[in-house]
Amino acid sequence: MNNILTAPILPNEIEWRVQSQTSTGKLIVVPYINNRCVMHRFDAAFGAENWTSEFREIANGFLCRLTVTINKREVYREDGATKTNIEPEKGGISDAMKRAAVQFGLGRCLYDYPRVMIECDGKFIPDWAYAKLDKLVEWINDGKCNRDMIVLSQK
């Protein structure tokens, strides 16, 4: 679609969340784009005046329609998400917008990331891991990652 949208995602455009914890205590973490990434990339790709977002509430969630104007023609994609556990409405709207952006190609590359595990104590991503996750993103963007799984440790 648009090279700006499909360009590699930069470390400052990614956030990480814990997906699960293994029986040995390792955290399995997954990357996702944030809404600022969606807005900045769409502004850069189409111009702030050439795209819009619309939201509709559905049963236990929201649909987002992103419409862009290309060569005086409107093109839209939409996707939905459920309300989230924290800030249910805001989180659901945000997730629906990010999912609709993926329909345009933004962040689709994250689905090809290797599985990432973090060796640590606790249920949250430790502070030391964020710099390593940023380096991992740079490594992936530079084409230097050919692994199915990455295990990060503080060592």
Side-chain angles (χ1 to χ4, degrees):
M1 170 130 245
N2 183 301
N3 290 342
I4 293 171
L5 297 181
T6 58
I9 301 298
L10 303 175
N12 66 332
E13 297 174 312
I14 292 178
E15 293 182 16
W16 295 84
R17 71 172 178 81
V18 176
Q19 183 179 49
S20 60
Q21 192 166 23
T22 68
S23 60
T24 60
K26 291 184 182 97
L27 301 179
I28 298 173
V29 298
V30 293
Y32 62 94
I33 56 174
N34 58 47
N35 259 24
R36 289 175 301 285
C37 172
V38 173
M39 292 181 281
H40 290 166
R41 292 276 186 118
F42 271 65
D43 285 352
F46 307 109
E49 68 283 356
N50 292 316
W51 72 276
T52 60
S53 57
E54 301 170 52
F55 300 92
R56 293 189 317 272
E57 190 164 5
I58 57 173
N60 199 35
F62 298 92
L63 282 178
C64 174
R65 175 180 287 193
L66 292 176
T67 304
V68 301
T69 303
I70 304 171
N71 300 323
K72 298 182 182 180
R73 189 173 140 245
E74 287 189 346
V75 177
Y76 73 87
R77 302 285 186 270
E78 61 183 14
D79 208 329
T82 59
K83 293 179 180 178
T84 60
N85 293 330
I86 300 172
E87 297 184 283
E89 286 76 21
K90 181 181 177 226
I93 288 170
S94 174
D95 286 354
M97 186 172 181
K98 291 181 282 190
R99 291 175 61 90
V102 170
Q103 301 295 325
F104 279 101
L106 179 58
R108 201 174 289 169
C109 60
L110 298 181
Y111 293 107
D112 297 327
Y113 269 41
R115 181 178 211 161
V116 179
M117 300 176 121
I118 300 175
E119 291 180 336
C120 65
D121 296 325
K123 297 180 181 180
F124 302 102
I125 299 173
D127 290 341
W128 60 261
Y130 288 102
K132 291 186 178 210
L133 290 167
D134 286 350
K135 283 288 185 199
L136 174 61
V137 172
E138 292 171 5
W139 193 45
I140 291 168
N141 288 346
D142 290 342
K144 297 177 181 173
C145 181
N146 58 0
R147 299 180 185 176
D148 293 331
M149 185 183 339
I150 302 290
V151 180
L152 301 177
S153 64
Q154 192 169 14
K155 301 172 190 170

